[in-house]
Amino acid sequence: MTDFNYDSIKPGFDRDKLLTSMKSQLSDFRYKHCLRVEKVSRGLAAQYNVDVDKAGLAGLLHDYAKERPADEFKAAIKSHNLNRDLLNYGNGIWHGIVGAEIIKDELGIYDEDVLNAIRRHTVGSTRMTGVDKCVFIADFIEPKRDFPGVDDARKAADTSLNTGVAFELKHTIAHLVDNNRTIYPVTFESYNYWITKGEL
């Protein structure tokens, strides 16, 4: 749990060098959040017999592109031939789905288990793997999160990964509806799928 060596994912991967880079391009708040999500992702992975290193690295990198300008995301959507419908959304969706492409370009990480967890941490998926679930949940329940229902979210995560995912999707959909926000279609699909898989 304390060994943050990601050589099994990318030989020669230098976590310390990455942290220095992240610290220089992210706000202090975002940087520390990423470290907490990495730790919680690893803990959930160990608890539920999921690949700890893949969950940890995806947790560390999940918000790698979060604070990039909108124009950079739009350019990446076009240059990587991603679904043009993404242009109708914003950073809340982009930093996961498009962020994974930025991570490939800048960090040379091509492990699809890691990249998919980053893509899916913003919207979910009907095909979420254990690694996906660990990052999805960790982002929601890391220790500094403080919102009505967070204790229930942590209890749900301690019940099972599926229960944690179902709880988070239910909470997220309700929050978006209450705030008159558009909802990315995959998030609806994810909710409809996982709400029947958890023990809510």
Side-chain angles (χ1 to χ4, degrees):
M1 283 299 299
T2 58
D3 183 10
F4 292 83
N5 185 340
Y6 295 119
D7 277 356
S8 63
I9 300 169
K10 183 183 178 184
F13 185 83
D14 189 336
R15 180 175 179 270
D16 290 337
K17 183 177 179 182
L18 172 64
L19 293 182
T20 299
S21 174
M22 289 177 66
K23 199 167 187 178
S24 71
Q25 63 179 294
L26 294 174
S27 64
D28 186 61
F29 168 83
R30 186 64 49 192
Y31 172 73
K32 290 177 178 175
H33 166 68
C34 289
L35 293 179
R36 291 192 297 269
V37 174
E38 176 188 32
K39 185 175 180 180
V40 176
S41 292
R42 290 175 68 90
L44 288 168
Q47 180 179 349
Y48 290 111
N49 197 30
V50 173
D51 190 305
V52 172
D53 287 334
K54 289 187 179 185
L57 185 56
L60 177 63
L61 294 174
H62 79 289
D63 276 356
Y64 177 81
K66 176 81 173 180
E67 295 176 345
R68 304 293 177 98
D71 286 347
E72 184 173 342
F73 285 115
K74 291 175 181 178
I77 289 168
K78 294 171 183 175
S79 66
H80 288 277
N81 295 313
L82 301 179
N83 188 333
R84 291 302 178 98
D85 186 51
L86 284 166
L87 295 169
N88 296 317
Y89 294 87
N91 185 287
I93 304 299
W94 293 339
H95 79 274
I97 296 172
V98 188
E101 305 306 319
I102 293 171
I103 286 166
K104 281 196 291 188
D105 291 346
E106 295 184 1
L107 303 180
I109 293 172
Y110 302 105
D111 186 291
E112 282 297 308
D113 291 332
V114 172
L115 295 171
N116 276 332
I118 293 165
R119 291 181 183 109
R120 294 169 178 171
H121 91 270
T122 59
V123 297
S125 169
T126 59
R127 302 184 303 277
M128 291 177 81
T129 65
V131 172
D132 297 342
K133 294 172 190 176
C134 288
V135 177
F136 190 75
I137 294 168
D139 185 30
F140 201 64
I141 66 168
E142 59 96 336
K144 293 292 186 180
R145 291 292 197 194
D146 184 17
F147 56 84
V150 70
D151 289 335
D152 290 333
R154 291 177 178 133
K155 290 176 185 174
D158 206 38
T159 300
S160 72
L161 289 178
N162 286 357
T163 300
V165 167
F167 183 97
E168 180 178 338
L169 285 164
K170 180 178 179 180
H171 187 281
T172 298
I173 294 275
H175 174 76
L176 291 170
V177 169
D178 286 346
N179 287 276
N180 299 313
R181 300 281 298 278
T182 56
I183 300 174
Y184 194 63
V186 172
T187 304
F188 269 132
E189 295 169 7
S190 302
Y191 169 81
N192 286 338
Y193 183 83
W194 291 106
I195 200 65
T196 65
K197 305 294 187 289
E199 301 169 39
L200 297 181

